[in-house]
Amino acid sequence: MPMKTVTIYTDGACSGNPGPGGWGVILQAGKFQKELSGGEEHTTNNRMELTGVIAALEALKEPCLVELYSDSKYVIDALEKGWAKSWKAKGWVKGDKKPALNPDLWERLLDLCSYHTVNLHWVKGHAENKYNNRCDELAVMESQKFKPGKPSGKKKLLTGDPGPLVRVTDRIWCLPGEDFTGRDRPFLYYIKGDRLSLAVDAGNSPAHVAELYAALAAAGLPKPGLTVITHWHWDHTFGICAVEGLTMATRATNEKLRQVGAWPWTEEDMEARLSAGEDIQACADCIRREYADPETIQVVPAQMELEGPATIDLGGVTCRIIPQDSPHSRDGIFIHIPEEKALAVGDGEGGDYYKLDGQYDPDKLSALLAFLEGLEYDLALPGHQKPWSKEEQLAWLRGPKD
């Protein structure tokens, strides 16, 4: 008797990566169609991608011929190219001697792929496949269930004026951002001195810069005379080309920006960089949402290169600019504002998305904690969440990350 043929579409989403996550699934067999979804309070995008596939295959009560569609290169390539089987055979160690992430989920998925006959199909995310788009909707809806507006103790509510620009302290404002389910726009911070104002990061596009400047104008605040870039990642730097005033970054950040500035932005080139591991799927998806035409992207380095710590007197408030390695990026900058008892951390609190799927190198995390513990500040200003206290920040960094 021939096996039943089932078509499955899956997708995962994560708000923060790690953060609240969800997965969505559509199963089709003949005229039959069923949707499944679920989520977790603290997870990663790749765990949600894997969980969606597992949930779909586990829903099948007998061995089936499965046509599986996913927009996750992580899932498709690891199965299709035999990477997951190799990781398992080597005791969940990759070819570069680093641990393979998510072995618990890969173990389950490999067993299910042995039980069923699975044909794998990669589909482009957020494109014209209505089933993939529906799975994305399900995944995002599930992730939102775990996203208090009501922050889960991790996020501290902002204070100050209503509207797009939010006052954080007497001299610090921010333009709230978006997460991976949107355009991955970071929080942009603005520090007002009596003589000069400083912006933290340039945002992910000229449109993002324009939004910040419009919000400043509406609040009666001058444009920043200096914009300091915390690290090279696209969402913090692709707006540099539209910044007015001076821009500053480390030499390491500028070297990376010159490299990225030579990248072409056709669909073919973007997909090639994903396959080569030069870029990651979540960034590519958000770039497509931010830019109607990615070929208009202009990546330029900052005008000023920082080779060591610097202190800038803005007039009535100072900014100590501190180059510092972090788990997230080797070229990080932290900005200490002593008078406001605040520290702008960029994405320095985050894990490594390019090499560790958003997880943390233990040695780099320990070094970051020692660095933060040695600074005097009450309020941390992160790149992708609302400001929170130093106490909350350190407690979270010391806690489990899986």
Side-chain angles (χ1 to χ4, degrees), residues 82-93 100 106-107 110-111:
W83 298 342
K85 286 184 178 179
S86 176
W87 299 337
K88 180 177 180 180
K90 295 176 182 177
W92 298 109
V93 175
W106 281 118
E107 191 89 54
L110 288 174
D111 287 345

Side-chain angles (χ1 to χ4, degrees), residues 76-201:
I76 298 298
D77 284 352
L79 291 175
E80 198 166 51
K81 297 179 181 180
W83 298 342
K85 286 184 178 179
S86 176
W87 299 337
K88 180 177 180 180
K90 295 176 182 177
W92 298 109
V93 175
K94 298 189 296 182
D96 59 5
K97 308 302 182 185
K98 294 179 180 179
L101 301 177
N102 310 311
D104 55 329
L105 297 180
W106 281 118
E107 191 89 54
R108 289 168 62 189
L109 183 51
L110 288 174
D111 287 345
L112 288 163
C113 287
S114 296
Y115 182 69
H116 301 287
T117 300
V118 181
N119 295 322
L120 301 163
H121 307 274
W122 179 80
V123 295
K124 181 180 174 182
H126 311 288
E128 296 180 2
N129 187 302
K130 67 177 182 180
Y131 299 113
N132 176 258
N133 290 339
R134 174 56 182 163
C135 288
D136 178 64
E137 289 177 2
L138 292 169
V140 171
M141 284 191 292
E142 290 289 347
S143 72
Q144 297 300 314
K145 294 178 182 178
F146 300 96
K147 248 187 109 180
K150 39 180 203 220
S152 61
K154 176 182 174 179
K155 304 183 195 286
K156 180 176 179 178
L157 290 175
L158 292 166
T159 60
D161 304 328
L165 197 69
V166 182
R167 194 164 193 167
V168 182
T169 70
D170 285 347
R171 290 185 178 265
I172 300 174
W173 285 258
C174 84
L175 183 71
E178 296 181 14
D179 56 31
F180 273 153
T181 64
R183 294 171 291 180
D184 195 25
R185 285 186 167 185
F187 282 59
L188 298 181
Y189 295 95
Y190 173 89
I191 304 155
K192 186 180 184 305
D194 297 332
R195 293 186 294 100
L196 177 69
S197 294
L198 181 149
V200 180
D201 284 322

Side-chain angles (χ1 to χ4, degrees), residues 40 43-54 58 74 79 84 92 101-112:
E40 297 178 24
T43 185
T44 68
N45 190 73
N46 282 344
R47 286 190 71 83
M48 290 294 91
E49 297 282 5
L50 285 166
T51 301
V53 178
I54 290 167
E58 286 183 341
Y74 175 67
L79 291 175
W92 298 109
L101 301 177
N102 310 311
D104 55 329
L105 297 180
W106 281 118
E107 191 89 54
R108 289 168 62 189
L109 183 51
L110 288 174
D111 287 345
L112 288 163

